Amino acid sequence: MKIGVLYGGTSAEREVSLSSGKGIVKALKENGHEVIGIDFHPERLGEVMELDVDIVFIGLHGKYGEDGRIQGLLDMLQIPYVGSGVLGSAVAMDKAKSKKVLKDSGIRLAKDLVLYKSDDNHSIDLPFGFPVVVKPNSEGSTIGLTIAQNEEELHRGIEEAFRFDNTVILEEFISGTEVTVAVMGEKGNVQSLPVVEIVPKNAYYDYESKYAEGGSEHIVPARISQDFTEMIQCQSVIAHELLGCETYSRVDYIVPKDGTEPVFLEVNTLPGMTPTSLYPDAAKEVGYSYEQMIEHLIQLGLKKK
């Protein structure tokens, strides 16, 4: 087949996307496909509009890639692509809106407060205590994230997060084990892969822990109870479907130290595909090599037609 791969982009996650794209292109070539790679830029839409391919694998992360915009363009061009459509991409990317969608789903959500750049954010009435997690509403890969221990750090963190987004979300900090669930399948037959536990080398699972070689250890299956394993595998499919995601996604959680129910963090509709990424590790656990996983996602993408 002739397959287009979009990677790079202009978001704060560009470096990660370049690495994801490299891996995807290599795997597709090894699988015998003809590959056209495009380092995507919104000012060079002509490169996408002139694509003559059977399907596109989107290896972009963050804005202009994961938020539904490129999906809308591909829909208009009638080019099939791997992954979620416009609505699922846009809603999952918006952390505050995705939590509103999941509010009555039975999934445990962290308490939060949403701030807008246009408002006066000098005096904030927090509905929970410190520490507070401060993050841009529509960025991934812990870009612009701060864990504030006091009022001063909170205001600095808010300022930092507003550099990346006009909407910022504050959440209660929950101490525990970070885990993630890869989800895969066509509509009506969506399944969760084994739960992956993340053990960061730094104090928190920050950008360096995610992408630096040896920055974190991935333990599969996660060292959590069978009950919690089954619970979050089931909840991940629910979140994937309620948010309108398609083909694949990755759902992140914290399993609290106090033994209470796992807490949902977010859904990634275009999870990282770098050599250190979580999704390929989960797929490996059920017998997929990296190349087989990419091929399977291509076949699922073609079924969306």
Side-chain angles (χ1 to χ4, degrees):
M1 275 190 295
K2 213 172 175 184
I3 301 172
V5 179
L6 303 181
Y7 57 84
T10 58
S11 83
E13 296 176 75
R14 174 175 169 77
E15 291 305 313
V16 187
S17 178
L18 287 170
S19 184
S20 284
K22 196 173 156 188
I24 296 162
V25 167
K26 186 169 176 279
L28 290 170
K29 284 182 177 172
E30 282 179 20
N31 291 344
H33 300 295
E34 185 185 336
V35 184
I36 297 165
I38 292 178
D39 185 346
F40 175 76
H41 196 290
E43 289 172 10
R44 299 193 302 271
L45 292 182
E47 292 177 330
V48 179
M49 294 170 84
E50 285 158 20
L51 268 178
D52 178 19
V53 292
D54 298 302
I55 190 166
V56 165
F57 201 117
I58 306 171
L60 296 163
H61 306 307
K63 285 178 185 168
Y64 294 111
E66 210 163 350
D67 56 9
R69 298 186 220 199
I70 193 70
Q71 290 79 0
L73 177 62
L74 292 170
D75 282 344
M76 285 189 280
L77 296 169
Q78 297 185 313
I79 301 174
Y81 51 89
V82 176
S84 299
V86 176
L87 187 62
S89 301
V91 176
M93 185 78 178
D94 188 316
K95 294 179 182 70
K97 284 197 172 54
S98 60
K99 286 175 81 171
K100 280 195 168 73
V101 172
L102 299 177
K103 192 165 64 77
D104 301 317
S105 65
I107 298 170
R108 183 180 173 193
L109 308 170
K111 291 177 188 153
D112 65 36
L113 180 66
V114 180
L115 306 178
Y116 303 97
K117 205 171 195 173
S118 53
D119 293 347
D120 176 10
N121 296 303
H122 291 293
S123 55
I124 295 158
D125 189 13
L126 278 177
F128 40 83
F130 287 98
V132 175
V133 181
V134 186
K135 52 191 176 184
N137 188 48
S138 297
E139 278 291 357
S141 293
T142 58
I143 300 280
L145 179 137
T146 303
I147 294 168
Q149 306 291 342
N150 53 50
E151 204 80 36
E152 189 188 335
E153 286 181 12
L154 176 65
H155 285 287
R156 269 209 311 270
I158 291 166
E159 205 174 304
E160 171 67 6
F162 274 135
R163 284 180 51 223
F164 298 97
D165 202 332
N166 291 329
T167 306
V168 164
I169 187 164
L170 311 183
E171 286 181 331
E172 58 176 330
F173 176 78
I174 293 157
S175 181
T177 304
E178 294 220 29
V179 298
T180 191
V181 183
V183 174
M184 183 189 281
E186 58 193 299
K187 263 188 182 159
N189 186 27
V190 179
Q191 292 166 331
S192 288
L193 303 187
V195 181
V196 182
E197 177 184 341
I198 303 148
V199 184
K201 297 286 189 280
N202 294 347
Y204 304 112
Y205 189 44
D206 56 13
Y207 190 90
E208 187 190 356
S209 301
K210 282 189 176 186
Y211 300 112
E213 200 65 53
S216 63
E217 185 188 352
H218 301 165
I219 297 168
V220 199
R223 298 168 298 181
I224 59 173
S225 72
Q226 188 59 29
D227 282 354
F228 281 170
T229 295
E230 287 171 12
M231 176 189 284
I232 63 176
Q233 282 181 315
C234 175
Q235 288 181 352
S236 298
V237 171
I238 291 168
H240 177 93
E241 292 180 332
L242 280 177
L243 295 175
C245 302
E246 294 171 86
T247 312
Y248 75 123
S249 68
R250 203 194 74 228
V251 191
D252 300 341
Y253 299 85
I254 289 274
V255 180
K257 277 183 181 161
D258 62 10
T260 55
E261 280 190 10
V263 181
F264 167 91
L265 294 178
E266 64 179 326
V267 174
N268 306 273
T269 55
L270 291 176
M273 291 291 174
T274 75
T276 58
S277 289
L278 294 152
Y279 199 99
D281 277 0
K284 199 189 296 170
E285 189 68 14
V286 291
Y288 285 104
S289 68
Y290 185 93
E291 291 75 21
Q292 287 168 332
M293 172 195 70
I294 295 293
E295 190 62 33
H296 186 57
L297 293 174
I298 286 285
Q299 297 307 323
L300 287 171
L302 288 167
K303 284 181 183 175
K304 275 171 50 187
K305 278 186 182 181

